[in-house]
Amino acid sequence: MASGASRCETNCKIARSPLIYKGRIYHPYFKNIIIGGGLMALGEICSQSIKMYFCGPPNYGSGSGNNLCSACDQESSKKSWIHLITDTSNYNFNTIIRQSAIGSFQGFYQFIYYSWLDKVFSGVSMTVVAKKVVLDEVLIGPISLAIFFLYNGFCDTFTMAGAFQRCRQSFLPGYLSDLVYWPVLQTINFALVPPGYRVLYVIFFTSIWNTYLCFFSARMGRSGSGIESNQ
């Protein structure tokens, strides 16, 4: 009994140690950061795989982020899509890391936001769910889109002017698409998904959504560069 009591006392002291205690407090942040980054990286890999299906492997020799969907050469055009997507040399790992970084950031701030939202609007009544969906589309939706387009615009052009130009070109069409995609998903989220899994649910569908945004952002980037070259 004495040894059991001493063991319990030792374990309690370990649990009260600053490192373990802080780990217990902050582990949801780390969990969502890791999951957000991983899912966004997976979404970008899927995005590049789909682009290879339609356009062939990207031309990474130019070093430009705007050539995400460049035409394939004669040799690569003869390769099957399965061969293309299984060849790691065809992937732009800089872009994958870039999207993983913004996914980690989204996992961090979305955990804070949805924790606050569940405290302010508790319950699953139709009124509460409707308030959450409206607030989500008015507040977090535009902010997330602006961050996404500014971030990718800056990474593609390495200038703030290019970042703001990308955001101006892409924000309104992207937000209109957002209004079609997210309200139904968020209604299901706020009505049926337990709060502990809310961020995971959002990040999963965000990775799918951002796969579309990658297509859209790359297309707007190419059209923008074409306009600049014509000028």
Side-chain angles (χ1 to χ4, degrees), residues 133-164:
V133 172
V134 171
L135 186 61
D136 194 77
E137 288 301 321
V138 172
L139 180 62
I140 201 68
I143 292 175
S144 297
L145 278 176
I147 291 173
F148 181 87
F149 289 128
L150 286 171
Y151 174 75
N152 282 284
F154 180 80
C155 290
D156 286 343
T157 63
F158 299 103
T159 63
M160 290 305 299
F164 283 109

mmCIF file of all heavy atoms in Angstrom, residues 133-164:
data_model
loop_
_atom_site.group_PDB
_atom_site.id
_atom_site.type_symbol
_atom_site.label_atom_id
_atom_site.label_comp_id
_atom_site.label_asym_id
_atom_site.label_seq_id
_atom_site.Cartn_x
_atom_site.Cartn_y
_atom_site.Cartn_z
ATOM 1 N N VAL A 133 -24.083 29.855 -38.710
ATOM 2 C CA VAL A 133 -23.802 29.782 -40.148
ATOM 3 C C VAL A 133 -23.654 31.182 -40.734
ATOM 4 O O VAL A 133 -22.728 31.454 -41.510
ATOM 5 C CB VAL A 133 -24.913 28.999 -40.877
ATOM 6 C CG1 VAL A 133 -24.735 29.098 -42.390
ATOM 7 C CG2 VAL A 133 -24.905 27.535 -40.447
ATOM 8 N N VAL A 134 -24.558 32.089 -40.356
ATOM 9 C CA VAL A 134 -24.486 33.460 -40.869
ATOM 10 C C VAL A 134 -23.201 34.137 -40.410
ATOM 11 O O VAL A 134 -22.494 34.778 -41.206
ATOM 12 C CB VAL A 134 -25.723 34.268 -40.412
ATOM 13 C CG1 VAL A 134 -25.544 35.748 -40.747
ATOM 14 C CG2 VAL A 134 -26.980 33.729 -41.073
ATOM 15 N N LEU A 135 -22.876 33.993 -39.132
ATOM 16 C CA LEU A 135 -21.651 34.604 -38.613
ATOM 17 C C LEU A 135 -20.424 34.007 -39.283
ATOM 18 O O LEU A 135 -19.452 34.722 -39.571
ATOM 19 C CB LEU A 135 -21.576 34.408 -37.099
ATOM 20 C CG LEU A 135 -20.417 35.117 -36.382
ATOM 21 C CD1 LEU A 135 -20.525 36.627 -36.565
ATOM 22 C CD2 LEU A 135 -20.415 34.768 -34.897
ATOM 23 N N ASP A 136 -20.467 32.715 -39.554
ATOM 24 C CA ASP A 136 -19.348 32.052 -40.211
ATOM 25 C C ASP A 136 -19.124 32.610 -41.611
ATOM 26 O O ASP A 136 -17.984 32.846 -42.024
ATOM 27 C CB ASP A 136 -19.614 30.546 -40.279
ATOM 28 C CG ASP A 136 -18.375 29.749 -40.632
ATOM 29 O OD1 ASP A 136 -17.523 29.565 -39.750
ATOM 30 O OD2 ASP A 136 -18.258 29.317 -41.796
ATOM 31 N N GLU A 137 -20.212 32.832 -42.344
ATOM 32 C CA GLU A 137 -20.092 33.340 -43.708
ATOM 33 C C GLU A 137 -19.756 34.827 -43.748
ATOM 34 O O GLU A 137 -19.132 35.295 -44.698
ATOM 35 C CB GLU A 137 -21.395 33.086 -44.480
ATOM 36 C CG GLU A 137 -21.631 31.636 -44.827
ATOM 37 C CD GLU A 137 -20.519 31.063 -45.681
ATOM 38 O OE1 GLU A 137 -20.022 31.774 -46.578
ATOM 39 O OE2 GLU A 137 -20.128 29.907 -45.446
ATOM 40 N N VAL A 138 -20.164 35.560 -42.735
ATOM 41 C CA VAL A 138 -19.900 36.998 -42.712
ATOM 42 C C VAL A 138 -18.517 37.308 -42.148
ATOM 43 O O VAL A 138 -17.852 38.254 -42.592
ATOM 44 C CB VAL A 138 -20.988 37.722 -41.885
ATOM 45 C CG1 VAL A 138 -20.636 39.192 -41.683
ATOM 46 C CG2 VAL A 138 -22.338 37.604 -42.579
ATOM 47 N N LEU A 139 -18.057 36.492 -41.201
ATOM 48 C CA LEU A 139 -16.812 36.800 -40.493
ATOM 49 C C LEU A 139 -15.648 35.934 -40.960
ATOM 50 O O LEU A 139 -14.730 36.416 -41.632
ATOM 51 C CB LEU A 139 -17.025 36.625 -38.987
ATOM 52 C CG LEU A 139 -15.818 36.914 -38.088
ATOM 53 C CD1 LEU A 139 -15.389 38.369 -38.225
ATOM 54 C CD2 LEU A 139 -16.155 36.585 -36.631
ATOM 55 N N ILE A 140 -15.686 34.647 -40.646
ATOM 56 C CA ILE A 140 -14.512 33.804 -40.865
ATOM 57 C C ILE A 140 -14.321 33.462 -42.338
ATOM 58 O O ILE A 140 -13.189 33.277 -42.796
ATOM 59 C CB ILE A 140 -14.614 32.513 -40.012
ATOM 60 C CG1 ILE A 140 -13.228 31.885 -39.813
ATOM 61 C CG2 ILE A 140 -15.570 31.524 -40.649
ATOM 62 C CD1 ILE A 140 -12.311 32.694 -38.948
ATOM 63 N N GLY A 141 -15.416 33.384 -43.102
ATOM 64 C CA GLY A 141 -15.296 33.054 -44.521
ATOM 65 C C GLY A 141 -14.488 34.081 -45.301
ATOM 66 O O GLY A 141 -13.491 33.742 -45.952
ATOM 67 N N PRO A 142 -14.877 35.365 -45.261
ATOM 68 C CA PRO A 142 -14.097 36.382 -45.983
ATOM 69 C C PRO A 142 -12.660 36.506 -45.490
ATOM 70 O O PRO A 142 -11.742 36.689 -46.294
ATOM 71 C CB PRO A 142 -14.887 37.672 -45.717
ATOM 72 C CG PRO A 142 -16.266 37.223 -45.415
ATOM 73 C CD PRO A 142 -16.121 35.915 -44.706
ATOM 74 N N ILE A 143 -12.461 36.389 -44.179
ATOM 75 C CA ILE A 143 -11.105 36.496 -43.638
ATOM 76 C C ILE A 143 -10.233 35.350 -44.144
ATOM 77 O O ILE A 143 -9.086 35.558 -44.566
ATOM 78 C CB ILE A 143 -11.143 36.506 -42.098
ATOM 79 C CG1 ILE A 143 -11.799 37.793 -41.594
ATOM 80 C CG2 ILE A 143 -9.738 36.378 -41.522
ATOM 81 C CD1 ILE A 143 -11.991 37.833 -40.091
ATOM 82 N N SER A 144 -10.777 34.133 -44.128
ATOM 83 C CA SER A 144 -10.008 32.973 -44.587
ATOM 84 C C SER A 144 -9.668 33.086 -46.066
ATOM 85 O O SER A 144 -8.544 32.762 -46.486
ATOM 86 C CB SER A 144 -10.795 31.685 -44.328
ATOM 87 O OG SER A 144 -11.002 31.480 -42.945
ATOM 88 N N LEU A 145 -10.624 33.544 -46.866
ATOM 89 C CA LEU A 145 -10.365 33.708 -48.297
ATOM 90 C C LEU A 145 -9.291 34.757 -48.549
ATOM 91 O O LEU A 145 -8.391 34.559 -49.377
ATOM 92 C CB LEU A 145 -11.652 34.096 -49.022
ATOM 93 C CG LEU A 145 -12.621 32.971 -49.381
ATOM 94 C CD1 LEU A 145 -13.879 33.558 -49.998
ATOM 95 C CD2 LEU A 145 -11.981 31.980 -50.334
ATOM 96 N N ALA A 146 -9.392 35.884 -47.855
ATOM 97 C CA ALA A 146 -8.408 36.945 -48.040
ATOM 98 C C ALA A 146 -7.014 36.458 -47.663
ATOM 99 O O ALA A 146 -6.035 36.716 -48.384
ATOM 100 C CB ALA A 146 -8.797 38.167 -47.209
ATOM 101 N N ILE A 147 -6.906 35.740 -46.547
ATOM 102 C CA ILE A 147 -5.610 35.208 -46.124
ATOM 103 C C ILE A 147 -5.067 34.243 -47.171
ATOM 104 O O ILE A 147 -3.880 34.290 -47.533
ATOM 105 C CB ILE A 147 -5.737 34.513 -44.757
ATOM 106 C CG1 ILE A 147 -6.011 35.542 -43.662
ATOM 107 C CG2 ILE A 147 -4.476 33.724 -44.430
ATOM 108 C CD1 ILE A 147 -6.310 34.929 -42.307
ATOM 109 N N PHE A 148 -5.933 33.375 -47.681
ATOM 110 C CA PHE A 148 -5.499 32.369 -48.654
ATOM 111 C C PHE A 148 -4.963 33.024 -49.921
ATOM 112 O O PHE A 148 -3.874 32.688 -50.406
ATOM 113 C CB PHE A 148 -6.660 31.438 -48.988
ATOM 114 C CG PHE A 148 -6.302 30.349 -49.957
ATOM 115 C CD1 PHE A 148 -5.770 29.152 -49.504
ATOM 116 C CD2 PHE A 148 -6.499 30.512 -51.316
ATOM 117 C CE1 PHE A 148 -5.433 28.144 -50.401
ATOM 118 C CE2 PHE A 148 -6.165 29.512 -52.212
ATOM 119 C CZ PHE A 148 -5.634 28.322 -51.754
ATOM 120 N N PHE A 149 -5.711 33.973 -50.486
ATOM 121 C CA PHE A 149 -5.296 34.584 -51.748
ATOM 122 C C PHE A 149 -4.096 35.511 -51.559
ATOM 123 O O PHE A 149 -3.215 35.570 -52.426
ATOM 124 C CB PHE A 149 -6.464 35.343 -52.371
ATOM 125 C CG PHE A 149 -7.543 34.445 -52.910
ATOM 126 C CD1 PHE A 149 -8.871 34.626 -52.551
ATOM 127 C CD2 PHE A 149 -7.242 33.408 -53.776
ATOM 128 C CE1 PHE A 149 -9.867 33.798 -53.040
ATOM 129 C CE2 PHE A 149 -8.228 32.566 -54.267
ATOM 130 C CZ PHE A 149 -9.547 32.765 -53.900
ATOM 131 N N LEU A 150 -4.044 36.237 -50.451
ATOM 132 C CA LEU A 150 -2.880 37.081 -50.182
ATOM 133 C C LEU A 150 -1.625 36.230 -50.015
ATOM 134 O O LEU A 150 -0.559 36.556 -50.562
ATOM 135 C CB LEU A 150 -3.120 37.921 -48.925
ATOM 136 C CG LEU A 150 -4.092 39.094 -49.043
ATOM 137 C CD1 LEU A 150 -4.388 39.676 -47.665
ATOM 138 C CD2 LEU A 150 -3.531 40.177 -49.963
ATOM 139 N N TYR A 151 -1.761 35.149 -49.282
ATOM 140 C CA TYR A 151 -0.613 34.268 -49.018
ATOM 141 C C TYR A 151 -0.088 33.651 -50.308
ATOM 142 O O TYR A 151 1.117 33.696 -50.596
ATOM 143 C CB TYR A 151 -1.046 33.187 -48.029
ATOM 144 C CG TYR A 151 -0.020 32.118 -47.767
ATOM 145 C CD1 TYR A 151 1.087 32.372 -46.968
ATOM 146 C CD2 TYR A 151 -0.171 30.837 -48.294
ATOM 147 C CE1 TYR A 151 2.025 31.385 -46.711
ATOM 148 C CE2 TYR A 151 0.760 29.844 -48.046
ATOM 149 C CZ TYR A 151 1.851 30.120 -47.253
ATOM 150 O OH TYR A 151 2.776 29.142 -47.003
ATOM 151 N N ASN A 152 -0.984 33.080 -51.110
ATOM 152 C CA ASN A 152 -0.547 32.443 -52.351
ATOM 153 C C ASN A 152 -0.081 33.463 -53.380
ATOM 154 O O ASN A 152 0.854 33.194 -54.141
ATOM 155 C CB ASN A 152 -1.678 31.585 -52.923
ATOM 156 C CG ASN A 152 -1.813 30.259 -52.207
ATOM 157 O OD1 ASN A 152 -1.034 29.341 -52.412
ATOM 158 N ND2 ASN A 152 -2.806 30.165 -51.331
ATOM 159 N N GLY A 153 -0.721 34.631 -53.410
ATOM 160 C CA GLY A 153 -0.262 35.674 -54.317
ATOM 161 C C GLY A 153 1.135 36.146 -53.976
ATOM 162 O O GLY A 153 1.965 36.365 -54.868
ATOM 163 N N PHE A 154 1.414 36.284 -52.686
ATOM 164 C CA PHE A 154 2.757 36.705 -52.276
ATOM 165 C C PHE A 154 3.787 35.617 -52.579
ATOM 166 O O PHE A 154 4.899 35.912 -53.037
ATOM 167 C CB PHE A 154 2.775 37.037 -50.787
ATOM 168 C CG PHE A 154 4.120 37.474 -50.285
ATOM 169 C CD1 PHE A 154 4.556 38.770 -50.480
ATOM 170 C CD2 PHE A 154 4.950 36.581 -49.626
ATOM 171 C CE1 PHE A 154 5.805 39.175 -50.030
ATOM 172 C CE2 PHE A 154 6.193 36.971 -49.172
ATOM 173 C CZ PHE A 154 6.629 38.271 -49.370
ATOM 174 N N CYS A 155 3.431 34.353 -52.327
ATOM 175 C CA CYS A 155 4.373 33.261 -52.592
ATOM 176 C C CYS A 155 4.661 33.110 -54.081
ATOM 177 O O CYS A 155 5.758 32.686 -54.466
ATOM 178 C CB CYS A 155 3.822 31.948 -52.037
ATOM 179 S SG CYS A 155 3.797 31.853 -50.228
ATOM 180 N N ASP A 156 3.694 33.453 -54.930
ATOM 181 C CA ASP A 156 3.898 33.347 -56.375
ATOM 182 C C ASP A 156 4.690 34.519 -56.940
ATOM 183 O O ASP A 156 5.463 34.357 -57.885
ATOM 184 C CB ASP A 156 2.548 33.256 -57.097
ATOM 185 C CG ASP A 156 1.892 31.894 -56.926
ATOM 186 O OD1 ASP A 156 2.597 30.946 -56.539
ATOM 187 O OD2 ASP A 156 0.676 31.784 -57.171
ATOM 188 N N THR A 157 4.481 35.718 -56.386
ATOM 189 C CA THR A 157 5.102 36.912 -56.961
ATOM 190 C C THR A 157 6.209 37.503 -56.100
ATOM 191 O O THR A 157 6.996 38.314 -56.588
ATOM 192 C CB THR A 157 4.035 38.000 -57.179
ATOM 193 O OG1 THR A 157 3.485 38.391 -55.905
ATOM 194 C CG2 THR A 157 2.908 37.484 -58.066
ATOM 195 N N PHE A 158 6.237 37.129 -54.807
ATOM 196 C CA PHE A 158 7.211 37.655 -53.843
ATOM 197 C C PHE A 158 7.113 39.173 -53.685
ATOM 198 O O PHE A 158 8.096 39.831 -53.344
ATOM 199 C CB PHE A 158 8.643 37.261 -54.235
ATOM 200 C CG PHE A 158 8.864 35.776 -54.266
ATOM 201 C CD1 PHE A 158 8.916 35.099 -55.473
ATOM 202 C CD2 PHE A 158 8.994 35.051 -53.096
ATOM 203 C CE1 PHE A 158 9.106 33.728 -55.514
ATOM 204 C CE2 PHE A 158 9.185 33.680 -53.123
ATOM 205 C CZ PHE A 158 9.241 33.020 -54.336
ATOM 206 N N THR A 159 5.940 39.716 -53.946
ATOM 207 C CA THR A 159 5.700 41.144 -53.736
ATOM 208 C C THR A 159 4.329 41.325 -53.109
ATOM 209 O O THR A 159 3.400 40.552 -53.377
ATOM 210 C CB THR A 159 5.746 41.933 -55.062
ATOM 211 O OG1 THR A 159 4.696 41.486 -55.927
ATOM 212 C CG2 THR A 159 7.096 41.762 -55.757
ATOM 213 N N MET A 160 4.190 42.365 -52.288
ATOM 214 C CA MET A 160 2.890 42.662 -51.702
ATOM 215 C C MET A 160 1.920 43.156 -52.764
ATOM 216 O O MET A 160 0.714 42.917 -52.674
ATOM 217 C CB MET A 160 3.041 43.703 -50.596
ATOM 218 C CG MET A 160 3.739 43.193 -49.343
ATOM 219 S SD MET A 160 2.947 41.711 -48.650
ATOM 220 C CE MET A 160 1.303 42.337 -48.282
ATOM 221 N N ALA A 161 2.441 43.846 -53.785
ATOM 222 C CA ALA A 161 1.570 44.303 -54.869
ATOM 223 C C ALA A 161 0.942 43.114 -55.586
ATOM 224 O O ALA A 161 -0.253 43.118 -55.907
ATOM 225 C CB ALA A 161 2.365 45.159 -55.857
ATOM 226 N N GLY A 162 1.751 42.074 -55.835
ATOM 227 C CA GLY A 162 1.216 40.870 -56.461
ATOM 228 C C GLY A 162 0.220 40.159 -55.570
ATOM 229 O O GLY A 162 -0.770 39.598 -56.051
ATOM 230 N N ALA A 163 0.470 40.181 -54.255
ATOM 231 C CA ALA A 163 -0.457 39.544 -53.318
ATOM 232 C C ALA A 163 -1.810 40.242 -53.335
ATOM 233 O O ALA A 163 -2.862 39.591 -53.408
ATOM 234 C CB ALA A 163 0.138 39.562 -51.914
ATOM 235 N N PHE A 164 -1.804 41.579 -53.283
ATOM 236 C CA PHE A 164 -3.066 42.320 -53.288
ATOM 237 C C PHE A 164 -3.769 42.215 -54.638
ATOM 238 O O PHE A 164 -5.001 42.183 -54.701
ATOM 239 C CB PHE A 164 -2.817 43.784 -52.924
ATOM 240 C CG PHE A 164 -2.591 44.007 -51.455
ATOM 241 C CD1 PHE A 164 -1.339 44.332 -50.967
ATOM 242 C CD2 PHE A 164 -3.638 43.870 -50.551
ATOM 243 C CE1 PHE A 164 -1.127 44.528 -49.607
ATOM 244 C CE2 PHE A 164 -3.443 44.064 -49.189
ATOM 245 C CZ PHE A 164 -2.183 44.388 -48.719
#
